[in-house]
Amino acid sequence: MKRLIYLLLLVPFFVSSQKTIVFYTDFETDQWSTTPGANEWENDPGEGTIRTTAWTGAAPAPAITAGRDGTGRAVWMGTHSDDSSRSELFRDRVIRTDVPTYVGYSIYINERLPSSRAYSQMRNMKQSSDPVNNNAAKNPYMLRQHSDNGKLFFNLLTDPTVAQTNPGPTGASEGALFWPNVAGPTVQGTDGSVAADYGFDFNMNEWIDIVIYWDALDYDTDNTLKIWVNGDLVVDWYGVTNRRYMPENSEGNYLEVSGDLKHNIGTYWASAGVQGNAYFDEYRVCEGAGCTYEDASPLGLSPNGAPLSSNNVLKSGRIRGPGGAYYKIINN
């Protein structure tokens, strides 16, 4: 009986301490290929060419010559690409949405992307029962360039009105909202319109550390989603965090999301013209209830003790607007 009591007392410890670094790249070697192994990204024809800070070949030369910690290497994606739309790395099914997860990485922007174009995209993947099961779409997370050149912003899929609906064809709206929204009080419509200032300031030619946390990404239960930028909490959300369905395929069929995410990092300028150079380093994914901010944070740095100000944190909250549509509350 004493042994049983002892084991029962240990259960909470084991549960709370469970954590696994499921993916880590520091780019000290070329951690990408067309057939990636463990802790490697994929880079296929059509994704654009990849260089590092150690590049010494044909121009252009890298803007920096070391990684996040001031030594070693970082990966470089930008205008040297042989593709007209992007220079990216990706990894299919690298992140799960059904477990507590921290994702961290560093980004150094030397040349901005065109307005609204993406540096980082987490994309829902189709279920394996779909004939083309590696297709991915409807991003629950994106890091994008603001029209104000001194700002970046996040698109997060936090709109409950689209969370459980068929999104229609591939080109349909993501249903994601712009975060963080720092001016208020006001509301932001589910159509993506922005009635207040949004985004966060950043400095060119400096490393930016981003850490993302969720207890789950789901369409029918409320969950916690937090994002820190350089240790400052800029997104603090409790609500829906994903959508249920993938877009329709050419036959008009659609499936529920699989619970796996593809992550793309790099410079995606699409059809806006070749513009944008960025460097990435210290990418980590930690899964499990025992994960902490420091497990995913670049260089293991801790978060700051408090946000820069209450205006810089978008807190949870929803109200119903005209026609029963949901609107997000933007706090003072």
Side-chain angles (χ1 to χ4, degrees):
M1 178 60 74
K2 288 183 178 179
R3 178 176 296 177
L4 177 60
I5 293 173
Y6 174 74
L7 290 174
L8 289 174
L9 289 173
L10 285 178
V11 168
F13 169 78
F14 286 130
V15 171
S16 64
S17 63
Q18 290 175 350
K19 64 180 179 181
T20 305
I21 302 295
V22 297
F23 195 78
Y24 170 59
T25 51
D26 60 6
F27 301 108
E28 295 308 303
T29 59
D30 290 356
Q31 293 175 290
W32 61 87
S33 74
T34 56
T35 55
N39 294 308
E40 285 188 340
W41 297 84
E42 190 164 344
N43 178 250
D44 294 338
E47 300 297 328
T49 48
I50 307 300
R51 294 180 180 176
T52 74
T53 53
W55 176 259
T56 58
I64 56 175
T65 57
R68 171 65 181 86
D69 66 356
T71 67
R73 308 192 323 176
V75 68
W76 171 27
M77 287 167 278
T79 56
H80 55 73
S81 176
D82 61 357
D83 187 79
S84 61
S85 64
R86 74 191 72 208
S87 175
E88 285 187 321
L89 295 174
F90 70 92
R91 181 70 188 222
D92 288 339
R93 306 188 190 278
V94 67
I95 305 169
R96 293 168 55 189
T97 62
D98 61 343
V99 294
T101 301
Y102 279 90
V103 179
Y105 62 91
S106 292
I107 178 174
Y108 182 108
I109 299 172
N110 172 247
E111 179 188 1
R112 300 174 185 87
L113 284 171
S115 174
S116 83
R117 300 308 180 184
Y119 298 97
S120 174
Q121 305 177 64
M122 294 182 187
R123 317 200 75 194
N124 281 303
M125 298 204 70
K126 290 186 176 180
Q127 296 181 1
S128 58
S129 58
D130 189 273
V132 188
N133 61 62
N134 276 345
N135 281 0
K138 299 305 173 191
N139 310 338
Y141 165 90
M142 297 176 72
L143 173 65
R144 302 173 70 179
Q145 178 64 53
H146 198 291
S147 57
D148 177 338
N149 284 338
K151 289 186 176 183
L152 304 173
F153 68 96
F154 299 110
N155 258 179
L156 304 175
L157 216 162
T158 55
D159 185 348
T161 63
V162 300
Q164 299 203 46
T165 60
N166 171 17
T170 301
S173 170
E174 295 288 349
L177 301 179
F178 299 163
W179 290 48
N181 208 318
V182 298
T186 187
V187 295
Q188 176 180 324
T190 56
D191 62 354
S193 62
V194 177
D197 193 18
Y198 64 96
F200 61 91
D201 296 335
F202 82 103
N203 293 324
M204 294 270 289
N205 301 310
E206 292 183 5
W207 283 105
I208 305 166
D209 295 336
I210 295 175
V211 176
I212 309 145
Y213 167 79
W214 60 77
D215 47 17
L217 297 180
D218 203 0
Y219 55 84
D220 62 357
T221 61
D222 289 343
N223 290 283
T224 296
L225 173 65
K226 297 177 182 286
I227 304 178
W228 292 262
V229 176
N230 290 336
D232 294 322
L233 182 66
V234 298
V235 171
D236 187 6
W237 172 255
Y238 183 74
V240 297
T241 47
N242 206 350
R243 74 183 311 152
R244 183 174 183 176
Y245 296 109
M246 297 291 291
E248 295 175 355
N249 60 22
S250 58
E251 289 77 37
N253 301 317
Y254 60 92
L255 294 173
E256 293 190 10
V257 299
S258 65
D260 296 322
L261 295 180
K262 171 184 182 177
H263 199 174
N264 293 45
I265 60 172
T267 47
Y268 176 63
W269 47 79
S271 59
V274 178
Q275 175 186 323
N277 282 282
Y279 301 80
F280 290 79
D281 204 3
E282 294 296 318
Y283 182 96
R284 289 179 176 82
V285 179
C286 185
E287 286 182 359
C291 291
T292 65
Y293 177 100
E294 289 80 5
D295 289 321
S297 171
L299 308 187
L301 300 175
S302 297
N304 297 329
L308 290 176
S309 73
S310 60
N311 284 340
N312 288 339
V313 181
L314 177 59
K315 298 185 182 299
S316 62
R318 301 194 293 268
I319 59 174
R320 282 193 179 273
Y326 277 100
Y327 285 74
K328 186 167 80 260
I329 296 174
I330 308 303
N331 296 281
N332 279 328

